[in-house]
Amino acid sequence: MHQVKELPGGSTQLFVGLHLIHEVTSPQAFSALSEKNLGVKFPNLTVATVDHIVPTSNQQRPFSDPLAEEMLTTLEKNCQSHGIKFHGIGSNSQGIVHVIAPELGLTQPGMTVACGDSHTSTHGAFGAIAFGIGTSQVRDVLASQSLAMKKLKVRRIWVDGSLSKGVYAKDLILHIIRLLGVKGGVGFAYEFAGPAIEKLSMEGRMTICNMAIEGGARCGYINPDKTTFEYLKGREYSPKGQEWDNAINWWKSLVSDSEAKYDDEIQLDGSSIEPTVTWGITPGQGISIKEKIPNPEMLPENEQQIAKDACKYMNLEPDQPIEGTLIDVCFIGSCTNGRLSDLQEASDIVKGHRVATGIRAFVVPGSQKVAKEAKNKGIDKIFLKAGFEWREPGCSMCLAMNPDKLEGRQISASSSNRNFKGRQGSANGRTLLMSPAMVAAAAINGKVTDVRKFLKE
Amino acid sequence: MKQDDFPQGSITVIKGRSIVIKGDDIDTDRIIPARFLKCVSFSALGEQVFADDRKELKGSHPFDLDQNKGANILVVNDNFGCGSSREHAPQALMRWGIRLIVGESFAEIFFGNCLSLGIPCITTSKQEITKFQNLVNKNPNQIWDFNLKELSISNQKESFIVKLDEGAYKMLYSGKWDATSQLLDEEETIKNTVNKLPYLNHFNKQI
Ligand code: SF4
């Protein structure tokens, strides 16, 4: 349906129905366009926001960092001269690209979605084909609304049962990446299905698909269903009236049938999963809160070297429990876990407690809309009262292109998606990935804590 | 480095010295740390490649060693280039001087980004890579010859057979790895696609 043409060598020219851009990976694409004397073919199918470089403490223009200001101005100019809709600072709809497109109703089932950002896999949660692209491809999409793409195989990951109390979508996806490895998904799209997935909210589903890329899979995908339609109903760019009814009919027809053949299938039991935390330097190095940090010598041979590197870099001892690991910084936010339900779940834990002495804890809503809704529910107050900082929306310390950074050897409990060396802004800073509720528990105790202890009360 | 030194046209042979980066799962945050993404042009990235790793090794990182200056073939291990989609990573490698990457395997987006710059990412087995890396480290001055048609990389004594995805092969061979013009050729078909997609037509059309 989206195929324009078969290209030589087995790739396909694929039409892109929704193209999302942000300030980091688009400027060079626009420059390349003007070098080639090309324009933007379908400006109404590209939507822009600013997220990576925005400061979260003071968003007054001009930004205090001149480089950040330059990137924003460049994007503003590019959008203006090509007629692209820009959800900028002060628009009430600015935020992380993978948070705003779904909440505006831009992302819909059956679409092809591309963005110069690897976590574009997030949008697959709506039954869209969505994937990250590089800057040359951003240029191609701007110029032609299409790109060359290789066909992906599909692995269906079937999750039975339901997640237990204190276990969230984040734990499930960290568990899956641990099982299949960080490159297990290369060449595949991951389709998530089964009772445990069906029970998840759209926000939980987005968390799962968001991190498909951390397992090497370029796309995540979940069949659209009632939950999807309910989420979309009434959103700004969702179809309305008769169009809505037609849309539902079409969306229903897209669901992969039960007879569908997959290139690979795996099955797991959602009920057996426990809160999961990473201890190393890849998202695949995760363990349950009850486990000990693995001894590299005891791991399969191909995992030993990276596990040794990880122990050394993280300064964590093998065979020690992960629970109780002392931390310095707590970060709740990002396109993985910066949505309203994430903040809600974390604030449920925080309520009536205080951030432990010496811990720096902060919350960065994923978008202006999330921030507003959270404020309406009094969620900001709960965090502030407990000693958290409440910030303005952006990517923030997920990758620290703004002033929010780890310092030196600091170790963070983070609801983001990548624990790579240096990811959070200090070349030797350390990151433990976990669910927002687990980050909240860690903030209160000053150390890695089983969030279920807070739920029993 | 001048713009016209960058890959152009059909890429069938690459000749030069090799440089080794050891380790699995080397992500694009390590190849080019995020703070260097704060730029509206790629031009300065060559000097910033592997910045944090190089700082940590205080001059003894492969990209700092005198013996490796001017090398253009990078030899890596498994799942190289995983993580972020930033094209800044292959851009940084290219601007440092890399024109070919040999490894056990590559992350998909990284592979595609390299291809769109005319940099082949070719693969061979773990054993062969280890052997290749040892040969290079023993004598960094050797000149290696990559031949796309034969899918081999060799010096006077040794030769390795390598693999390359068929699509990438054809694009490099024909010189059409820069896809924009090809895609634009299909203007009519693209318009037809727009006209038939339900979500671009008020959901009036059914497929
Ligand atoms: S929140 Fe993190 S992962 Fe998501 S788009 Fe921003 S930088 Fe990328």
Side-chain angles (χ1 to χ4, degrees):
Chain A
M1 170 169 54
H2 290 89
Q3 177 174 325
V4 175
K5 196 188 171 192
E6 288 270 359
L7 296 172
S11 58
T12 296
Q13 179 170 358
L14 191 74
F15 179 82
V16 175
L18 174 63
H19 181 215
L20 303 167
I21 58 170
H22 60 73
E23 74 284 13
V24 181
T25 53
S26 70
Q28 299 86 352
F30 282 107
S31 313
L33 276 192
S34 44
E35 266 165 39
K36 291 181 185 240
N37 256 328
L38 293 168
V40 177
K41 185 69 68 178
F42 295 97
N44 57 329
L45 300 183
T46 293
V47 177
T49 188
V50 59
D51 48 12
H52 288 67
I53 51 92
V54 297
T56 58
S57 46
N58 179 355
Q59 298 193 329
Q60 271 320 340
R61 300 284 300 275
F63 294 160
S64 57
D65 173 356
L67 287 174
E69 179 64 26
E70 186 192 0
M71 293 184 83
L72 174 50
T73 333
T74 307
L75 181 60
E76 278 170 339
K77 276 193 206 135
N78 285 329
C79 287
Q80 209 167 32
S81 57
H82 293 281
I84 292 167
K85 171 82 182 157
F86 178 45
H87 297 272
I89 299 286
S91 66
N92 294 326
S93 51
Q94 171 267 339
I96 306 172
V97 63
H98 310 306
V99 177
I100 69 153
E103 76 187 3
L104 287 168
L106 285 164
T107 305
Q108 296 168 14
M111 280 183 168
T112 42
V113 183
C115 171
D117 193 285
S118 58
H119 292 100
T120 308
S121 59
T122 311
H123 307 263
F126 288 80
I129 310 295
F131 48 86
I133 56 180
T135 297
S136 303
Q137 286 181 307
V138 173
R139 173 201 64 203
D140 293 346
V141 178
L142 289 170
S144 73
Q145 205 58 36
S146 68
L147 46 75
M149 179 79 181
K150 254 187 77 180
K151 221 175 143 56
L152 295 171
K153 292 181 281 183
V154 182
R155 170 178 295 140
R156 187 176 68 173
I157 301 173
W158 182 272
V159 191
D160 277 319
S162 49
L163 300 182
S164 352
K165 204 162 184 211
V167 179
Y168 305 87
K170 179 65 157 288
D171 301 298
L172 173 56
I173 189 63
L174 284 173
H175 180 80
I176 291 173
I177 300 166
R178 172 194 188 177
L179 284 182
L180 301 177
V182 286
K183 61 160 210 164
V186 174
F188 282 95
Y190 277 176
E191 174 171 342
F192 302 96
I197 300 290
E198 284 161 25
K199 280 173 212 151
L200 289 175
S201 67
M202 280 321 291
E203 306 202 334
R205 294 179 190 186
M206 283 189 256
T207 302
I208 304 272
C209 290
N210 174 276
M211 287 190 72
I213 185 69
E214 305 312 330
R218 203 160 172 189
C219 300
Y221 177 91
I222 295 174
N223 268 326
D225 63 7
K226 232 177 100 213
T227 309
T228 322
F229 308 149
E230 269 164 24
Y231 177 96
L232 282 171
K233 188 147 197 176
R235 293 193 181 257
E236 196 172 335
Y237 289 90
S238 295
K240 312 256 154 38
Q242 183 59 43
E243 273 186 39
W244 171 260
D245 297 334
N246 294 348
I248 296 262
N249 283 336
W250 182 58
W251 292 343
K252 282 185 177 157
S253 75
L254 300 169
V255 173
S256 30
D257 62 76
S258 47
E259 305 291 294
K261 285 259 177 301
Y262 294 93
D263 300 288
D264 190 37
E265 288 184 67
I266 69 152
Q267 192 165 3
L268 51 124
D269 176 15
S271 330
S272 64
I273 295 168
E274 298 199 84
T276 301
V277 181
T278 65
W279 58 272
I281 50 172
T282 81
Q285 290 172 319
I287 51 177
S288 97
I289 184 73
K290 291 286 162 242
E291 282 176 86
K292 293 180 172 151
I293 292 156
N295 185 335
E297 308 288 342
M298 309 298 282
L299 292 173
E301 210 187 312
N302 60 347
E303 291 174 26
Q304 288 185 5
Q305 190 51 48
I306 184 111
K308 278 184 206 157
D309 277 3
C311 283
K312 185 165 160 235
Y313 181 84
M314 295 300 288
N315 196 23
L316 292 174
E317 287 296 321
D319 297 323
Q320 290 299 307
I322 188 77
E323 190 169 9
T325 305
L326 295 177
I327 45 141
D328 306 303
V329 178
C330 288
F331 169 63
I332 296 178
S334 86
C335 60
T336 311
N337 281 130
R339 300 189 175 78
L340 187 65
S341 65
D342 300 312
L343 306 193
Q344 176 87 61
E345 281 153 9
S347 74
D348 289 346
I349 305 298
V350 165
K351 207 170 194 166
H353 296 280
R354 288 233 18 117
V355 171
T357 329
I359 304 286
R360 182 176 164 225
F362 61 112
V363 183
V364 184
S367 70
Q368 300 285 355
K369 280 197 196 319
V370 170
K372 195 172 153 209
E373 286 169 32
K375 277 185 187 160
N376 287 343
K377 292 186 160 221
I379 291 176
D380 59 330
K381 296 262 157 39
I382 299 175
F383 280 116
L384 285 165
K385 203 172 156 207
F388 275 83
E389 294 167 48
W390 180 263
R391 297 299 191 84
E392 301 285 336
C395 293
S396 179
M397 216 176 63
C398 175
L399 95 166
M401 274 185 79
N402 76 343
D404 308 333
K405 291 178 174 39
L406 291 181
E407 283 162 29
R409 286 293 278 154
Q410 278 185 334
I411 183 163
S412 80
S414 175
S415 75
S416 53
N417 44 53
R418 285 185 176 145
N419 51 349
F420 300 153
K421 290 182 179 176
R423 171 77 177 182
Q424 292 192 292
S426 157
N428 49 6
R430 299 170 287 166
T431 303
L432 306 175
L433 302 176
M434 59 190 83
S435 73
M438 285 282 285
V439 176
I444 297 160
N445 283 352
K447 55 190 179 196
V448 176
T449 302
D450 189 338
V451 67
R452 292 171 299 192
K453 288 182 183 153
F454 285 87
L455 293 169
K456 278 192 190 125
E457 292 164 14
Chain B
M1 189 157 299
K2 295 195 310 290
Q3 186 76 30
D4 27 314
D5 289 328
F6 293 152
Q8 273 177 2
S10 165
I11 293 170
T12 49
V13 285
I14 294 167
K15 206 173 160 143
R17 284 183 294 119
S18 296
I19 173 171
V20 173
I21 291 281
K22 273 194 185 282
D24 293 344
D25 306 318
I26 292 187
D27 56 77
T28 52
D29 274 84
R30 278 174 71 191
I31 301 172
I32 187 84
R35 63 180 180 282
F36 300 116
L37 271 48
K38 245 189 255 170
C39 55
V40 289
S41 122
F42 289 131
S43 55
L45 294 175
E47 287 128 54
Q48 297 154 349
V49 68
F50 288 113
D52 289 343
D53 286 4
R54 286 161 79 175
K55 198 170 146 204
E56 195 185 321
L57 292 178
K58 300 186 185 80
S60 62
H61 187 277
F63 275 68
D64 285 321
L65 297 178
D66 278 338
Q67 64 190 45
N68 290 331
K69 294 265 152 67
N72 60 357
I73 302 170
L74 176 63
V75 195
V76 299
N77 293 99
D78 203 26
N79 197 28
F80 187 78
C82 59
S84 143
S85 70
R86 62 189 69 162
E87 188 169 308
H88 305 66
Q91 284 278 357
L93 291 167
M94 178 178 82
R95 282 161 203 274
W96 188 87
I98 299 300
R99 295 292 175 267
L100 169 72
I101 314 181
V102 194
E104 291 168 44
S105 76
F106 296 91
E108 236 166 271
I109 302 182
F110 180 83
F111 180 95
N113 280 341
C114 284
L115 182 61
S116 67
L117 299 177
I119 299 175
C121 293
I122 55 176
T123 58
T124 181
S125 69
K126 193 178 190 66
Q127 287 84 351
E128 295 281 279
I129 288 289
T130 312
K131 191 171 155 201
F132 190 10
Q133 290 182 329
N134 290 340
L135 284 171
V136 173
N137 280 340
K138 225 183 266 162
N139 177 7
N141 280 322
Q142 303 168 82
I143 300 292
W144 295 90
D145 247 305
F146 166 63
N147 185 313
L148 181 76
K149 232 173 152 181
E150 291 168 9
L151 282 176
S152 67
I153 182 158
S154 39
N155 65 7
Q156 271 121 5
K157 277 194 243 127
E158 308 275 345
S159 185
F160 297 92
I161 295 300
V162 295
K163 282 197 219 139
L164 180 64
D165 163 84
E166 196 195 329
Y169 177 96
K170 288 197 175 143
M171 287 165 84
L172 290 163
Y173 192 79
S174 62
K176 287 185 176 163
W177 41 269
D178 172 0
T180 320
S181 53
Q182 264 192 86
L183 297 171
L184 280 169
D185 285 347
E186 298 304 317
E187 229 179 308
E188 274 311 302
T189 336
I190 292 172
K191 275 198 195 126
N192 292 340
T193 311
V194 172
N195 289 334
K196 70 174 199 226
L197 278 172
Y199 62 88
L200 298 179
N201 294 282
H202 307 285
F203 296 93
N204 283 329
K205 312 209 171 168
Q206 294 290 325
I207 289 186

